[in-house]
Amino acid sequence: MGETYLKGKLGASSSYKENMFQIFLNKQRLKLYASLQHLPQKQYLSYKEISKETGIRKKVIQQFFLCCDATLIAYTIDIDYQGISYKGNDDLYPWCIFQILLSDNLAFQLLFQLLSGDSFSYDELIRRYFYSKSTLKRKLKQVETWLHPFHISLKHQGSVKVEGDRYQIEWLRAWISLISKPESNHILLGGTWIYEQSEAYHLNFQLSPRGKVFLLKQIIGLEQLVLDSRNKEQLEKRLSYLEDTYPLRIIQKERCCQLLWRIYLFQKYVSMQVLVPFQFNYENLSTAWNYFAEEFTELRTLEKDNKSLARYFQCLIMDCVDVD
């Protein structure tokens, strides 16, 4: 999912994409986040140095890090009474830092809970998070502010539930999962096999550790999609053939090429197996998607292997097309 997709789908600027997770941080934590970006290069930051750069009192910074849950930092940094040392793991470090800075953010915990897709009563949330009703309402307003750029809202009818396009919700959940428990994310830790499961499919694929990290980031939009000029030219020719052959017009050709390349990445590197048998009805697909599937046979393969993923890409690709 390239930057073009994010701009179109989320209505977001490139700076918003870069600051995706920073919207969850208050002003003080944003200052800490900016300061901690220097740690991999410097290898060590003293609390005094961080305090001088951020304007936050040294004692406050020291207490914050010394009280951190050790499991949040075990893979990336060491903490003592004077400062912070870098242990390595460049791929995991950014997500561990976000997790540390968000660990005591109750509104973020509430957001993560609500994205599970379940409906929660006010009483249930009050018992779960030890809120008062007025505090819960304030936190829910903050969550709604975070959800707004993704065109997702909260439905309040005796209970609270996230509402919006299911694909938007799925991808927001995927982004946030990177900072929920990064120390258990085998992709970022460089394990050999990756296993991921949703309601309709599971994925198994084997790549080098760096390759897996890069593929994951491309899939969920944290890394610019790489599409070389030769492959882009071939895809554009195939799209031009579609326009000449069928009554449709590609209104976002570059974005469409990127989406088709993402499908190629899935099919090249990911072995997909359906967990629940289903009967796929081609008649349920839009006419334009059928035109695409005539030229791009890999779309039919995707439909057979993974109904949920096919629906996701159908939604995105059809945004790039006008049917005459």
Side-chain angles (χ1 to χ4, degrees), residues 101-146:
L101 296 174
L102 287 166
S103 59
D104 58 354
N105 187 322
L106 296 180
F108 182 78
Q109 295 171 21
L110 181 60
L111 168 67
F112 190 75
Q113 185 71 51
L114 291 171
L115 283 172
S116 68
D118 296 329
S119 180
F120 299 90
S121 68
Y122 283 96
D123 288 342
E124 185 179 358
L125 292 173
I126 287 170
R127 288 195 301 270
R128 186 184 294 263
Y129 295 103
F130 304 102
Y131 290 147
S132 66
K133 193 165 186 177
S134 60
T135 300
L136 175 62
K137 287 182 176 179
R138 287 199 306 271
K139 298 298 181 184
L140 288 172
K141 283 185 179 180
Q142 188 172 1
V143 168
E144 285 183 311
T145 300
W146 290 337

Side-chain angles (χ1 to χ4, degrees), residues 259-283:
L259 291 170
L260 291 167
W261 191 251
R262 283 179 57 206
I263 292 172
Y264 168 77
L265 289 178
F266 272 109
Q267 295 186 323
K268 181 176 180 180
Y269 294 114
V270 180
S271 171
M272 292 185 246
Q273 298 177 1
V274 178
L275 297 179
V276 182
F278 63 90
Q279 294 296 320
F280 198 86
N281 184 1
Y282 292 132
E283 294 178 1

Side-chain angles (χ1 to χ4, degrees), residues 120-285:
F120 299 90
S121 68
Y122 283 96
D123 288 342
E124 185 179 358
L125 292 173
I126 287 170
R127 288 195 301 270
R128 186 184 294 263
Y129 295 103
F130 304 102
Y131 290 147
S132 66
K133 193 165 186 177
S134 60
T135 300
L136 175 62
K137 287 182 176 179
R138 287 199 306 271
K139 298 298 181 184
L140 288 172
K141 283 185 179 180
Q142 188 172 1
V143 168
E144 285 183 311
T145 300
W146 290 337
L147 291 174
H148 179 72
F150 301 91
H151 309 293
I152 301 171
S153 59
L154 293 181
K155 181 180 180 181
H156 301 263
Q157 286 186 351
S159 61
V160 185
K161 184 177 176 63
V162 170
E163 261 196 352
D165 181 88
R166 60 171 292 200
Y167 302 107
Q168 290 287 83
I169 294 171
E170 285 177 5
W171 283 108
L172 178 58
R173 189 186 299 128
W175 282 44
I176 288 178
S177 70
L178 278 175
I179 51 174
S180 60
K181 284 290 180 182
E183 74 279 1
S184 62
N185 190 320
H186 298 295
I187 294 178
L188 294 178
L189 289 176
T192 302
W193 282 97
I194 306 304
Y195 177 79
E196 180 183 327
Q197 179 172 322
S198 77
E199 64 180 36
Y201 62 91
H202 71 261
L203 315 176
N204 286 298
F205 59 96
Q206 192 170 26
L207 292 170
S208 68
R210 287 284 178 181
K212 284 178 291 193
V213 170
F214 189 66
L215 178 61
L216 173 71
K217 289 181 178 180
Q218 286 192 106
I219 289 170
I220 66 173
L222 295 174
E223 193 75 59
Q224 178 67 39
L225 191 67
V226 175
L227 179 55
D228 62 49
S229 58
R230 183 176 62 84
N231 288 310
K232 183 179 179 183
E233 184 179 349
Q234 289 179 348
L235 285 170
E236 287 177 342
K237 284 182 179 179
R238 295 174 74 181
L239 291 177
S240 295
Y241 173 81
L242 269 176
E243 290 181 304
D244 293 339
T245 308
Y246 300 99
L248 58 78
R249 184 168 59 90
I250 314 297
I251 55 177
Q252 297 185 53
K253 196 161 286 187
E254 182 176 352
R255 180 182 170 199
C256 196
C257 287
Q258 290 184 335
L259 291 170
L260 291 167
W261 191 251
R262 283 179 57 206
I263 292 172
Y264 168 77
L265 289 178
F266 272 109
Q267 295 186 323
K268 181 176 180 180
Y269 294 114
V270 180
S271 171
M272 292 185 246
Q273 298 177 1
V274 178
L275 297 179
V276 182
F278 63 90
Q279 294 296 320
F280 198 86
N281 184 1
Y282 292 132
E283 294 178 1
N284 292 333
L285 291 174

